[in-house]
Amino acid sequence: MASALVENHFRSNKLPHIWCPGCGHGIIMRSIVEAIDELGYNKDDVCVVSGIGCSSRAPGYMDYNTLHTLHGRALAYATGVKMANPKLKVIVITGDGDCAAIGGNHLIHAARRNIDITTVVFNNNIYGMTGGQYSPTTPTGEKGTTAPFGNIDKNFDLCNLAKAAGATYVARATAYHANMITKLVKAGMENKGFSFVEAVSVCPTYYGRKNKKGDAVQMMRYLKDSSVNVKAAKKLPKEKLEGKFFIGEFHKVEEPEYTEQYQKIIDSFQKER
Amino acid sequence: MENKNIKLMQGNEACVEGALTAGMRFFAGYPITPSTEIAEISSLRLPKVGGKFLQMEDEIAGIAATIGASLTGLKSMTATSGPGFSLKQENIGYASIAEIPCVIVNVQRGGPSTGLPTSPAQGDIMQAKWGTHGDHPVIALSPSSVRETFDLTIKAFNYAEKYRMPVMLLTDEVIGHMREKIEIPTADEIEIIDRVKPESGLDKYNPYEVNEGELVPKMASYGEGYRFHVTGLVHDETGFPSNDSNVAGNLLDRLMKKIDNNIEDISLYEEYRIDDAETIIIAYGSTARSAKSAVDMAREEGLKVGLFRPMTIWPFLDKQITDVAKKADNIIVAEMNLGQYVNEVERVGNKYANISKCCKANGELITPDEILAKIKEV
Ligand SMILES: Cc1ncc(C[n+]2csc(CCOP(=O)(O)OP(=O)(O)O)c2C)c(N)n1
Ligand code: SF4
């Protein structure tokens, strides 16, 4: 099963990947590919766009139309691609720094437009590629190479951010919940509009080591033990939710999609003729 | 009498008209004086021809979307001015190394920073060449009239498509906002160049492979069935990243040769009354209009003066400027900055002529009288 997926959807001559042993990014990449496979999309119609970071290296391994852009700019490039050719199924792969720091402005505006792009953030709470500096999602008090005394910044809840900005599908899963990522990405791809899936990843090399989170296995166990599905959470007493974070589908609404709205303007002139 | 298509048009309008004639079907940008009309008119015109217009959240997003759109096969453009041009620089480098055709219009205004938003300037000449980091090929064109804005916008698209690279159109506030009557050429008078696509049905498409003796790889579009990879990292002919110093060296070499080996095709200029000239003014853009008047005024007084007007700012016209320097005793470079193009003129012409400058960067045009005074001084 796994090998068929690799054969059909990966550029196997580009593997093995560059990620560290125990990195969560590979699991998330595989889950996305699984979603595309299950949706039965023609590979020629899929376009994966990324920024810069460890996470943003993923498209290079994926056998679609792939675009590795500049740090923070994936969504701006993807907006151009989608607008120019709305038939393409556009997925953005980005990191927490890529999408919420340098690319934060593009994130909120892509969400606001409700353009039909599915964004998957590989959130490892750190800048992996540059060696462990704190990011906009590093929890307050945690350490990074540029927060040697503990991070005093308040961290973003990316899902709340995306929802507030206008995303019409918002969900979260973790690298531990690989099947769930597949399910959420599928739902996101099927949503006609801007979909935002936060995939909580692990970076044992920097985040783990800096913050004494143990090895990759321990970090994955943390993801399992500390996450609660939003649906289940409703039935749980408050004390059971302490120190936990939510996963699952948070938000789903129907709203006019951007490229369709623009097409209506184009069509109005075609009718005039 | 022939039925001529004559229109009263603003420079910025002529830019959009030229772009549409060249085949522009995508524009993404962010409003900024004095370039805004280009966005406004594009937003009005593009949907009527089935094209797309996007007002993005900033200039970085404007050029990023432009590059993304070009990858799907649409001829794409963005337009801006000073501060926005600064913001676009990183993406200009991306389009250079990834070899994505696109046109970037910079209607120059006074700088630095917010500077003089409604005044003309030519202060971005060096930025156009060196604004993005690293060595990279550059084509930048500068028109001196409304009609030429139309023509050079078409040229900009043609070069972008032909050489697979970003091409800059450097106008200024005066050219952008000036209104002139122009005759729109007929379709058979205009040359339109499209990017060369790979033959269909290839088993394997290497997006950066070139045939022996060629310099520009054939360009497929996303969605056509070639699932290729594009990156701003140094890459080999397959498009995938490489740390190999040979690969890096060869890539950069080929990128630069696209210009160096085609310099004649890219060299656009006008010579005016230079045959017997002892003093030759070198000026471009709106300043060249004043320079032309100054030449006529000087000639009336019996002075042997001419004008050399580069329309291609980059690549620098080494050969032509050398010839001009050999011909003249004196060269005066007139430009609305504190001396940028003049440095290049000195580089090639110092051996042959006495080179001086007539510069101004206070938001005012350089007048014919000022140039005439300088002619008499040298
Ligand atoms: C304009 C720019 N600024 C900074 C960098 C350096 N840089 C590369 S990746 C990165 C952070 C990546 O972190 P994240 O997006 O969280 O991805 P991760 O590597 O953790 O997967 C930075 C700061 C860059 N490449 N470009
Ligand atoms: S540095 Fe961290 S994020 Fe990057 S590959 Fe290694 S483990 Fe993964």
Side-chain angles (χ1 to χ4, degrees):
Chain A
M1 187 56 204
S3 67
L5 193 74
V6 171
E7 219 163 89
N8 289 333
H9 289 267
F10 285 96
R11 294 165 170 149
S12 28
N13 62 335
K14 298 296 159 199
L15 296 167
H17 54 63
I18 60 159
W19 297 311
C20 309
C23 176
H25 290 353
I27 299 172
I28 304 169
M29 172 174 74
R30 190 189 182 285
S31 298
I32 295 172
V33 163
E34 194 122 37
I36 295 167
D37 185 52
E38 286 179 18
L39 285 164
Y41 290 154
N42 181 340
K43 290 194 290 179
D44 296 340
D45 296 338
V46 178
C47 180
V48 188
V49 186
S50 68
I52 297 289
C54 296
S55 34
S56 290
R57 282 303 194 98
Y61 309 117
M62 302 162 81
D63 190 19
Y64 311 112
N65 304 281
T66 53
L67 180 56
H68 179 224
T69 69
L70 295 170
H71 193 30
R73 313 301 168 203
L75 273 164
Y77 277 78
T79 298
V81 168
K82 181 69 190 180
M83 187 72 172
N85 184 356
K87 275 189 237 128
L88 292 170
K89 318 271 185 203
V90 180
I91 301 172
V92 164
I93 291 180
T94 174
D96 40 307
D98 198 58
C99 114
I102 190 164
N105 200 28
H106 307 311
L107 170 66
I108 59 174
H109 289 280
R112 175 178 63 82
R113 289 184 193 104
N114 194 34
I115 187 162
D116 189 11
I117 293 171
T118 298
T119 296
V120 186
V121 192
F122 293 27
N123 181 8
N124 56 8
N125 309 99
I126 202 92
Y127 286 1
M129 178 137 273
T130 42
Q133 301 75 31
Y134 70 97
S135 89
T137 63
T138 304
T140 311
E142 299 275 62
K143 287 183 177 149
T145 57
T146 46
F149 313 114
N151 173 26
I152 61 166
D153 285 25
K154 203 170 146 180
N155 53 298
F156 266 138
D157 179 323
L158 296 179
C159 288
N160 281 345
L161 177 67
K163 182 182 167 194
T168 46
Y169 181 85
V170 179
R172 180 190 289 132
T174 83
Y176 177 81
H177 304 85
N179 293 338
M180 188 170 177
I181 296 178
T182 300
K183 196 182 120 218
L184 301 180
V185 171
K186 264 172 81 177
M189 297 289 295
E190 280 177 322
N191 170 47
K192 199 97 202 89
F194 189 80
S195 304
F196 185 86
V197 178
E198 178 182 346
V200 182
S201 188
V202 293
C203 171
T205 306
Y206 294 114
Y207 186 74
R209 208 181 285 163
K210 271 274 151 199
N211 292 293
K212 304 196 166 54
K213 301 284 181 192
D215 62 12
V217 177
Q218 281 168 292
M219 289 181 81
M220 289 291 266
R221 190 170 297 133
Y222 169 83
L223 294 183
K224 172 178 174 255
D225 294 343
S226 306
S227 53
V228 179
N229 197 302
V230 268
K231 276 193 218 137
K234 287 189 188 124
K235 293 172 212 141
L236 290 175
K238 248 202 171 127
E239 50 292 358
K240 288 248 170 176
L241 298 176
E242 207 138 301
K244 305 269 158 111
F245 66 90
F246 297 142
I247 55 174
E249 280 182 352
F250 299 144
H251 181 63
K252 201 175 166 181
V253 287
E254 257 179 56
E255 281 187 29
E257 193 274 327
Y258 195 77
T259 61
E260 288 186 351
Q261 293 300 100
Y262 197 88
Q263 191 57 44
K264 283 185 195 159
I265 298 176
I266 294 178
D267 291 345
S268 74
F269 291 112
Q270 237 105 47
K271 270 176 221 135
E272 251 173 46
R273 264 190 234 139
Chain B
M1 209 186 87
E2 248 183 286
N3 221 358
K4 284 188 173 160
N5 186 3
I6 305 217
K7 277 188 179 150
L8 179 70
M9 217 180 256
Q10 192 193 47
N12 283 344
E13 200 180 344
C15 174
V16 179
E17 213 58 55
L20 289 167
T21 304
M24 171 177 75
R25 288 298 176 269
F26 187 94
F27 180 99
Y30 190 81
I32 182 166
T33 306
S35 76
T36 304
E37 296 83 5
I38 299 177
E40 289 172 341
I41 300 166
S42 295
S43 75
L44 186 71
R45 297 288 304 278
L46 275 168
K48 298 183 184 174
V49 296
K52 312 280 168 76
F53 168 88
L54 267 171
Q55 179 169 312
M56 295 299 285
E57 50 273 19
D58 57 31
E59 286 86 347
I60 300 173
I63 185 169
T66 298
I67 298 170
S70 182
L71 272 161
T72 74
L74 299 193
K75 289 191 182 176
S76 306
M77 179 170 97
T78 186
T80 190
S81 185
F85 193 55
S86 294
L87 286 177
K88 290 188 190 295
Q89 293 302 326
E90 188 192 13
N91 274 276
I92 291 173
Y94 187 91
S96 302
I97 195 169
E99 299 182 73
I100 320 288
C102 57
V103 173
I104 300 125
V105 183
N106 176 7
V107 186
Q108 294 170 91
R109 67 188 228 184
S113 188
T114 313
L116 292 163
T118 56
S119 301
Q122 296 174 314
D124 307 345
I125 297 302
M126 283 298 164
Q127 189 187 18
K129 173 115 173 111
W130 298 115
T132 196
H133 57 283
D135 292 288
H136 56 281
V138 180
I139 298 178
L141 311 176
S142 184
S144 288
S145 68
V146 173
R147 167 63 199 259
E148 205 167 86
T149 303
F150 177 89
D151 294 339
L152 291 191
T153 306
I154 296 174
K155 281 270 183 202
F157 271 97
N158 285 350
Y159 291 145
E161 295 284 316
K162 186 170 178 183
Y163 299 116
R164 281 193 64 175
M165 58 181 285
V167 174
M168 297 175 231
L169 187 77
L170 299 176
T171 75
D172 58 61
E173 191 278 333
V174 167
I175 299 295
H177 284 161
M178 175 167 74
R179 282 178 196 280
E180 285 181 323
K181 253 191 201 150
I182 70 163
E183 188 190 328
I184 308 262
T186 55
D188 56 308
E189 291 171 303
I190 301 170
E191 186 196 19
I192 308 276
I193 298 175
D194 297 325
R195 64 190 69 171
V196 179
K197 314 208 73 175
E199 300 110 70
S200 56
L202 291 184
D203 295 341
K204 194 166 163 227
Y205 165 62
N206 280 331
Y208 296 95
E209 185 179 305
V210 287
N211 294 331
E212 186 77 34
E214 289 180 358
L215 291 165
V216 186
K218 303 198 170 44
M219 185 169 178
S221 303
Y222 280 167
E224 281 181 342
Y226 301 110
R227 296 183 302 276
F228 57 100
H229 186 60
V230 175
T231 177
L233 287 166
V234 162
H235 45 269
D236 61 19
E237 60 185 28
T238 66
F240 290 95
S242 166
N243 283 326
D244 187 318
S245 57
N246 283 326
V247 169
N250 289 340
L251 173 62
L252 207 60
D253 185 55
R254 182 174 62 72
L255 293 181
M256 301 311 280
K257 275 195 180 137
K258 291 198 290 189
I259 300 294
D260 296 346
N261 292 10
N262 291 292
I263 194 101
E264 257 169 55
D265 179 49
I266 309 167
S267 298
L268 308 173
Y269 53 90
E270 183 199 9
E271 293 169 338
Y272 181 67
R273 304 181 89 166
I274 68 165
D275 281 346
D276 62 341
E278 287 160 6
T279 296
I280 296 179
I281 322 285
I282 297 180
Y284 51 87
S286 59
T287 309
R289 300 170 75 95
S290 295
K292 210 170 216 175
S293 302
V295 167
D296 291 341
M297 286 154 71
R299 286 275 174 183
E300 259 173 39
E301 295 183 29
L303 301 169
K304 291 186 170 169
V305 181
L307 167 71
F308 181 84
R309 181 171 75 84
M311 296 178 245
T312 301
I313 302 298
W314 304 114
F316 188 74
L317 303 176
D318 269 59
K319 181 176 162 287
Q320 290 77 9
I321 303 273
T322 306
D323 291 347
V324 163
K326 283 182 179 164
K327 195 186 279 265
D329 301 329
N330 298 303
I331 286 179
I332 300 168
V333 180
E335 50 185 340
M336 277 187 287
N337 54 49
L338 296 180
Q340 297 193 14
Y341 194 79
V342 65
N343 293 328
E344 285 289 287
V345 174
E346 281 174 352
R347 176 177 62 79
V348 302
N350 243 349
K351 293 196 280 279
Y352 310 110
N354 166 38
I355 295 164
S356 55
K357 59 185 184 181
C358 181
C359 290
K360 203 157 131 184
N362 63 356
E364 286 172 0
L365 274 172
I366 302 173
T367 63
D369 283 332
E370 285 170 315
I371 299 172
L372 186 64
K374 188 78 197 176
I375 293 168
K376 291 178 178 167
E377 191 186 303
V378 295

